[in-house]
Amino acid sequence: MASYQEFIQQNEDRDGVRFSWNLWPSSRLEATRLVVPVACLFTPLKERPDLPPVQYEPVLCSRANCKAVLNPLCQVDFRAKIWACNFCFQRNPFPPSYAGISDVNQPAELMPQFSTIEYIVQRAPTAPLIFLYVVDTCLEEEDLQALKESLQMSLSLLPPNALVGLITFGRMVQVHELSCEGIAKSYVFRGTKDLSSKQIQELLGLTKPAASGQPGRPLAPQDAAASCRFLQPVHRVDMNLTDLLGELQRDPWPVPQGKRPLRSTGVALTVAVGLLEGTFPNTGARVMLFIGGPPTQGPGMVVGDELKNPIRSWHDIQKDNARHLKKATKYYEAMANRSAVNGHCIDIYACALDQTGLLEMKCLSNLTGGHIVMGDSFNTSLFKQTFQRVFSKDFNGDFRMAFGGVLEVKTSREVKVCGTIGPCVSLNSKGSCVSETEMGIGGTNQWKVCGLNPSTTLGIYFEVVNQHNAPVPQGGRGAVQFVTQYQHSSTQRRIRVTTIARNWADAQSQIQHIESSFDQEVAAVLMARLGVFRAESEEGPDVLRWLDRQLIRLCQKFGQFNKDDPTSFKLSESLSLYPQFMFHLRRSPFLQVFNNSPDESSYYRHHFVRQDLTQSLIMIQPILYSYSFHGPPEPVLLDSSSILPDRILLMDTFFQLVIYHGETIAQWRKAGYQEMAEYENFKQLLLAPLDDAQEILQTRFPMPRYVDTEHGGSQARFLLSKVNPSQTHNNSYAWGQEAGAPILTDDVSLQVFMDHLKKLAVSSST
Amino acid sequence: MNVNQHTPMASPYGQPQPGYGQPGYAPLDGGYPAPYAPFNGPASAYQPGAPPQGYSPFTSFPSKAVAANPVSDLSSPLDLGPARGPPTSGATPVSAPQPYNQYSHSQGDMQNGPPPMTQAPPRPAASQQYNQGAVNLSGPQPSYPQHYGPQPSMQQVANQMTGMQITSGPPTPAGPGYAPPHSSHPPVNTAYSAAPPHSYTQAPPPASSPPTQPPPPSGPAASQQYYGGPTPPSQQPFNSSLPPTSQQQFASPAPPPPSSQQTFPPSSSYSGPAPTPGQAPAPPASQPQQSFPPTQPPFSSAPPPASHPAFVSGPPPPAQGSFPPRAAPLSSQPGSFPPPGPSPISMPSGQYPGPMPPQQQPPPSQPSPYHSGPPPPRAQMPPTSMAQSNHLPPGPQGPPGPLGPMQQPPSQPGMQGGYPPQQNGAFGQVRGPQPGYAGPYPGQPNYGAPATAPAPAPAAQKRLDPDSIPSPIQVIEDDKVKTTEPFTTGVRGQAPPLVTTNFQVKDQGNASPRFVRCTAYNMPCTADMAKQSQVPLAAVIKPLATLPPDETPPYLVDHGEGGPIRCNRCKAYMCPYMQFIEGGRRFQCGFCSCVTEVPPHYFQHLDHTGKRVDCYDRPELSLGSYEFMATVDYCKNNKIPQPPAFIFLIDVSYNAVKSGMVNIVCQELKTLLDYLPRENPEMDSVVRVGFVTYNKVLHFYNVKASLAQPQMLVVSDVSDMFVPLLDGFLVNVNESRLVIESLLDQIPEMFAETRETETVFGPVIQAGLEALKAADCSGKLFVFHSSLPIAEAPGKLKNREDKKLIGTDKEKSLFQPQVAFYNTLAKECVAQGCCVDLFLFPNQYVDVATLGVVPVSTGGSVYKYTYFQAQSDTERFLNDLRRDVQKLVGFDAVMRVRTSTGIRATDFFGSFFMSNTTDVELAGLDCDKAVTVEFKHDDKLSEETGALMQCAVLYTSCSGQRRLRVHNMAVNCCSQLADLYRNCETDTIINFLSKYAFRGLLSNPTKAVRDTLINQCAQILACYRKNCASPSSAGQLILPECMKLLPVYLNCVLKSDVLMPGADVSLDDRAYLRQLISGMDVSESHVFFYPRLLPLTKFESGSLPVAVRDSEERLSKGGLYILETGLHLFLWVGASAQQELLVSIFGTPSFSQIDPSLTSLPVLDNPFSQRLREIIESFRAQRSRYMKLMVVKQEDKSELIFRHFLVEDKSASGGASYVDFLCHMHKEIRQLLS
């Protein structure tokens, strides 16, 4: 049998699922003692080039409250043409189309390798994708120009039949009508007035035609297109829109000295949401919000227009000094929920040197599965390329985006769902498999994920509910089925079904097995997501304390040690990296707000709760590569000791990509040796990390901030703040001169952290 | 007055009437030979109609006279009667005043020549005022030619005339005879001149029927005699003067009521007449009173002829109006007569009768009545008689001429200037008045009462001869003749020429009448006097009036950084009334007397007279009007203002598009934008423009120069209006020309297929307002709107047009805005300096009363094109639009009127807003807008210093400069009422009264407003009569010369659509007119109320033909007439117009081929056509609104519309004819007096 490593890898590749425990403790009590809950990271739309979708619809269990999908784990009686649901044990006849079923003629969904399978729903109406640009015009001329170019470029990337719309805003909000010939026409709203969806539709003159569409059902595309002058097929209005964008002016209202431009972001979004709500409910749509500053007026304003009042900082928030915070947050949350209900996702592209109010607006994207991109300016490659990458295509030529996803989780009766953490909202579906304990967004077994891409990953938390005194029969397995319905970028409705099962194990007799089935990487990420989720509502120190507590308990549970003897403490291989992840997690911007603005924190957290395992790990513990003349590039410890004069370091924190030239290298480079033929090898050395970085830059979304720095450079801080401060101004001399660079910090180093951990773990008092 | 009744009177009341009439008449005639003659004319009036022709009053008079005389003669004492009879014919009454004028003038000139001297004095006597005036005048005359005119004019209309007539009536049994005369009248008309004269003379003899000529002899004779006799007597008369006049009138009456008369006849009068002097006095006095009664009769009688039946019935219906009553009386009179006459004393008529009889001729002495006239006069007498006819100077003339009375002629010349027609005696023939009676003057009932008494009158259908009552045309033409030299404003208290006269103004320290016109140039010193006289003290100020090219616009004065020099206390601006003292180091304010230091930089030495040496170098020290450069302290927020902006807001709903309006506006704007107002014609205008279209939502347009195509910004959230853009909305025309043109080309296309029928209105103005706010500038909105704003939005309106409310107490609510929203909005607009001009293109009710609130409060204008059709209305609309866009305009203006201590500006009328009681705030002020300011005393004024007023208007010019325009005006003060009456201007008074009344509509029932007007007018005249006119018979209507047109003009106001709507006049029209009037200056209101009617039969190149009076009688079937009101322009074509004329105008010889839908005349190459088109163009050029030409063919349907503007006739909606109204007015006055 393959090692757990391989098993895990295989499962991940096939199903996009990684569980914290791959053997499940068979009772609730034991499960709780394991400290780390049974949970998984699930990537619903993991790219499976090898998995062609089937052209029929899934067969469902006939029990009304089950409706599980026929899967390889089901027992099938080929002769009776009956299958038993492995969740509720209901026996179901096959539908007539399965009449020819037999041992040798099995449908794909019964084959083990199709534990994940994708169906295409044929009868569902198809609606074109919708892209609604919401553009801030209170930008510097240069920024606006760059943004306009990016937008114009994006038109060529859109599917030709996609509907596109444009809303611009500054002091006023303008909804541009795209269908008209001649004069460019737009509807204007004042930026200070909150409008209901109905009002918006009335004001836009949409009430008559839109009234015909029943709620919950999208209009036939033709009708819809005709009914809405504001959303038109790209191929029809391409030229028109290009011109329109070209003529876009900066917000013409004068900005007096000492004031911020008036930016009606809140109303612009309401209008966008209201527009889509009225015209294309439950149709895949993407609202793309481009902002160059914080909302400064109207509902959802984050900061007043007086420059003398700076935008809120963490300090203000802690002191409860952020005047607009609560109101704005509430406003955007309400809007996000409305949008989510209608299946529209909202992207935020915020490019400004100062904060733009992401803290308040983050829910727009977090709840709807939209992107948040934060940059310094629209005139940077970071934005331009990231934006371009939104429209990237997969191997089939389809856009890497899906809309209106509904994820349903079904569990066998010993397990229940506690909740998920990810870019979704609850659909409040109280099934039998819903646990009373909530972790993340709970209380339901269905979630809506309005915007999905292949890397969107949700953390799903379970609870074992089997009672200790009712042992699971030998060989019994717990099963979980993930049913994801979504609108594919080709406008097809699809259903992807993933069914997995794990063995039960008795925690008392099989604790070693359980320990070795621990997936410390995913566990770290899942715990981190829980921590981040808590951090949204709790004080930072509380969260850290909770994390520490969990770590200590885990170490106590699985560590081998003699009581009160820290030196005797040992962890098995399957847990050995876990404390280190926790160490870096505690230092990460997801939990530490020091040195980060509220916007930045929101931005980091936003990405953290939606990226897949690999990326999440990088975020927790950045990767550090070292380049030298001494050999090929090698990963090195994320430690100050790795910072050596003759090395070039490449650090990837997901958000930043830092190339750091050691002192010597930097001097050489300055001296220009790389220009000399005889130092070709030096040139090669200099280029090596650049090439690697380029590779990362090519694929990552959002594109990381790319930093090229050197010893003593100001930007070296990105590196110095990440590495484990094993050498500081406090101890470097004690450790001698040997290597590394001292970090000027009072943060504890990994060593100190581990020492404490051991001490606490072995302590009998806890 | 309405002595005219002749016939009727005669028959019914037989003698009594005659008595009345005759006595009086007779006297008159006799009394005033020459004048009489004219009077007689009136008298003839009796004869009704004959003379009635009305036109040449004179003629008519004469004729009438004749008739009358005859009648009267016949009736009672032919002897007596004859002579006077004629005169009486009412001529007496009315003319009196005029005659005076004439006399006075003329006297000097003509007739008087002989008697003049003497006469002169007499007159004064007549109307004491006059006297005074006269006296003064005489002194002054030289200086105030004009005045003279007026002074003399005191017109005394002896209503008695009527009575008189009555007398005649009786005689007539002749009644029949009368009838004939009437019929004959028409002819007379034609005959006018000729006839009249005869009549006068003849009058007596002809008595009834034959009216005219035959009798004349006697008449004339009589008159002559008077003259002859008079002269001497006249002097005496002076003393007695009054008496005479009245006498005459009465006299005639007397005869009829024999009995009573006889008593009278005591003829002191008789003797009087002849003896005049002595007797005259006595009798007159009594007589006058008596005479009145008679008058009444006349009234009644007047109607009689035609209406007789009605009358009869009438009586009962006393209600009908005073008239009816009279009528009634009349009818009843027969019986009553006796009593009435005598006893009736109650009324003049009655009295008259009484007196009359006796006097009958003695009355002639009446001259006295004319008082002024009379006494002296006999010569004057004519006048007197004329009194009635006075007005009519012409009348007299006419008659005179013919009569031969040399005297008369003379007078005429002076006065008439050739309008023989008008005679004052107008009263004379009442023609169809009767009909009017019933309806028009409810008040009349009173009459009834009195009338009844007079019963005698009944018989008389007296008709006043329209020619014998004061004629506007005559007055206008006289004024033209009189005005030969430029008007210099240097002399305080000098009344300027009439608005109808072309004259040049030289500013010598008071504002030009083009800027300021006052109702009175001699203000009473005390509040008591003012109250007693009831003459409104007001000024009509048109601060930015356009001056003719030969007059210099106000100079611009810059006092430097400190701003204009002002009085420390009252803040009056430096002006010629500031007295420099202490060697020039200080100045004393002429308004509040406070002494202020002269700033060093402004110091200048004084010369030996105490004047600054630089006095004539500085406009502010030597002129009445000038401008100051305002400093930043005078700017809003202490910021130099931005140049103003014009925003065009165009309705693009279905109706607007369909009517073609949208297309027309857009096309026109393309060229019009090159003509935005600018101060320096060399430079481009700095005015920026913006465009908005709207239906249920608003579309703003971004026309920034850098755009290839305009952009439309739709604001559908109309509940809370805002401006969606700033940069690119208001642009410089030259920079954005291409984009703007593209936009204007596309707007009609874009909305060609629109189905939207609902519109908003409030948000439209809000939008413009917000745009101006955002741009931080003032400006003007041009709103082109088509329908009632029923779409859901602030300011939404509902259709509330409800004809049932008309005439009820709730009617006033229809003139009030139906929602308060617009008032608030207007306030905001004013605060921003946002002026709104509204162009309406309604197909149905749009609630002008509400929509107009903002324009009216912001100094804007409302233009209304009901049932707009591109084809026929484009020209009018475009011309209005062009003018409106191009005209000189100031923004964000504040006007303040400061006055000398003792008087205060208390009330303001016009298009503006006031947030306190002193500052008139005008968001916009253009060159056509006038503000009427009423003054009240709060203390005494002194005759020495007079009353000063200074109107200062702070505004932003169209180039964005902040300026102060100052107009100064000084008027005299008087402690004698007579001075007041001698120096007022009826046109201005009417302007004030109409504005006052129209505003009153908002809070009072229409009827109450009308009654108030009538009442005030009656009080004014009664006060005059009581205090200024020489004692005369109560039956005599005596009008001040300056106000002799007051009744006719007031009647026009009362008959206007606003106060008396016809069935086809919509509520919108009324509201529209009501608002329109509020901003009118005197010349506009004048022509509006009394349209100009020009005969086109003969043109002399270079000058306009002399206008004719607005009465159908004046139209000849064979002629063409052009009529203009300032809003309408008609070309009336008589059914038998000469083919030759038709060919030269229309290019077709056939009447039937003339296309009545023509809106412009074909361009034909003949002098006549050219000239006609020139005239039309010049009319249009004079008015602030373009008048669409309507061709009206006689007896075509459209003639109804045209007739509506013949304001001297009875109107279809029930408005009284001039004659009827005059009678009514007389009645009112008598009531007040008794």
Side-chain angles (χ1 to χ4, degrees), chain A residues 174 184-186 188 190 203 249, chain B residues 702 712-714 716 719-720:
Chain A
Q174 283 175 254
K185 200 170 165 184
S186 59
V188 189
R190 82 188 311 169
L203 296 177
Q249 318 174 50
Chain B
N702 183 348
M712 177 202 270
L713 300 166
V714 183
S716 39
S719 62
D720 188 10

Side-chain angles (χ1 to χ4, degrees), chain A residues 92 224 251 275 333 496 700 730:
Chain A
N92 303 291
D251 191 52
L275 169 61
E333 263 173 14
R496 185 185 280 219
R700 172 140 326 140
N730 293 325

Side-chain angles (χ1 to χ4, degrees), chain B residues 1105-1119:
Chain B
V1106 172
V1108 298
R1109 295 170 60 175
D1110 292 331
S1111 167
E1112 193 172 2
E1113 287 176 7
R1114 317 279 165 171
L1115 301 175
S1116 139
K1117 264 191 140 182

Side-chain angles (χ1 to χ4, degrees), chain A residues 119-318:
Chain A
Y119 303 88
I120 297 180
V121 181
Q122 303 288 5
R123 57 190 158 79
T126 60
L129 299 185
I130 299 166
F131 295 87
L132 180 54
Y133 297 126
V134 181
V135 182
D136 177 7
T137 53
C138 298
L139 302 176
E140 293 303 315
E141 196 56 64
E142 200 179 286
D143 260 22
L144 183 61
Q145 195 53 38
L147 177 56
K148 279 153 65 173
E149 284 165 14
S150 288
L151 293 176
Q152 286 170 326
M153 175 277 298
S154 73
L155 293 180
S156 62
L157 300 176
L158 294 176
N161 67 340
L163 302 183
V164 62
L166 175 64
I167 294 176
T168 57
F169 67 94
R171 184 172 181 149
M172 305 288 167
V173 177
Q174 283 175 254
V175 184
H176 296 267
E177 186 174 315
L178 303 176
S179 57
C180 54
E181 307 282 318
I183 289 188
K185 200 170 165 184
S186 59
Y187 283 68
V188 189
F189 297 84
R190 82 188 311 169
T192 51
K193 190 174 173 190
D194 196 6
L195 297 164
S196 73
S197 171
K198 184 156 163 275
Q199 281 175 310
I200 290 168
Q201 287 156 35
E202 267 169 15
L203 296 177
L204 289 175
L206 298 174
T207 35
K208 279 169 248 161
S212 62
Q214 292 98 348
R217 168 129 23 117
L219 297 167
Q222 309 85 320
D223 292 352
S227 76
C228 185
R229 309 179 299 280
F230 307 101
L231 298 168
Q232 291 286 314
V234 178
H235 63 90
R236 270 233 304 267
V237 297
D238 197 1
M239 291 299 293
N240 214 333
L241 190 51
T242 307
D243 292 347
L244 193 58
L245 287 170
E247 287 197 335
L248 212 54
Q249 318 174 50
R250 289 180 59 195
D251 191 52
W253 298 89
V255 181
Q257 191 102 41
K259 300 256 190 182
R260 296 186 176 88
L262 289 173
R263 201 180 258 112
S264 324
T265 319
V267 172
L269 278 169
T270 316
V271 172
V273 169
L275 169 61
L276 290 174
E277 206 166 45
T279 49
F280 294 95
N282 294 312
T283 304
R286 187 159 216 114
V287 176
M288 307 172 100
L289 171 67
F290 302 87
I291 51 175
T296 47
Q297 72 166 357
M301 84 184 251
V302 164
V303 63
D305 66 341
E306 292 278 356
L307 271 176
K308 66 181 182 202
N309 301 327
I311 192 167
R312 77 278 176 284
S313 64
W314 278 121
H315 182 73
D316 296 329
I317 295 171
Q318 278 151 11

